[in-house]
Amino acid sequence: MSRILDQRILLLVISLSASVQSTKVLSEWKKCGDPECEKAMSRVQATTDYLGPDCRYLNFKAGEEIIVYSKLSRKNENLWTGSKGKDFGYFPRDAVKVEEVLIVEEVEMPTKETDFLCLHEDKYTFE
């Protein structure tokens, strides 16, 4: 009986840590092409396959085209945000090469809680 209880507690701890990891703030600052982060900043091409750690990340295959809308800055400059078709999310900048720059002047602003939204099983999760 004690062993089953220990296993259930371990599963609960793993589940809670995965939930916290998928909602943490990735950076306090971001750069965009406009104050609303609605304008496309650049068009990039994936140089490698990428599978993100949770639903906030954009998955893609080498050769696919991605439109970039924002770039995390200061604390975590390696992650950019973009879309591929209907999919949208974060991805590492070193997994792509820039094909076309659409916005030269970037605007830096604080991130919002909604920047790290994760849709999971039809529920929105915030930190």
Side-chain angles (χ1 to χ4, degrees):
M1 178 76 168
S2 174
R3 186 179 186 117
I4 292 172
L5 184 59
D6 289 344
Q7 290 174 344
R8 287 184 179 173
I9 290 172
L10 179 61
L11 287 173
L12 178 62
V13 168
I14 291 169
S15 174
L16 288 174
S17 75
S19 174
V20 167
Q21 180 182 10
S22 71
T23 60
K24 72 178 187 176
V25 171
L26 301 172
S27 179
E28 299 292 327
W29 295 90
K30 64 183 176 181
K31 292 180 182 177
C32 299
D34 65 287
E36 292 78 32
C37 289
E38 294 175 350
K39 292 184 180 176
M41 298 177 74
S42 60
R43 183 177 54 81
V44 300
Q45 183 177 28
T47 56
T48 185
D49 293 355
Y50 178 72
L51 180 61
D54 63 48
C55 62
R56 297 176 298 169
Y57 291 80
L58 182 67
N59 300 321
F60 50 79
K61 302 248 184 242
E64 291 186 309
E65 182 177 280
I66 301 164
I67 302 299
V68 177
Y69 289 94
S70 69
K71 303 172 181 178
L72 295 184
S73 60
R74 298 187 189 187
K75 178 183 171 185
N76 189 357
E77 295 185 352
N78 185 47
L79 290 178
W80 290 0
T81 310
S83 67
K84 174 189 67 120
K86 294 179 184 176
D87 298 328
F88 185 85
Y90 292 95
F91 60 91
R93 72 178 182 185
D94 60 355
V96 300
K97 67 178 177 180
V98 176
E99 295 287 311
E100 180 180 13
V101 175
L102 304 171
I103 297 286
V104 178
E105 200 169 315
E106 298 175 347
V107 179
E108 187 174 51
M109 64 190 65
T111 58
K112 298 181 244 176
E113 188 175 62
T114 54
D115 291 332
F116 307 104
L117 179 70
C118 189
L119 180 61
H120 184 67
E121 297 177 4
D122 298 327
K123 295 179 183 177
Y124 293 101
T125 304
F126 293 95
E127 182 169 342

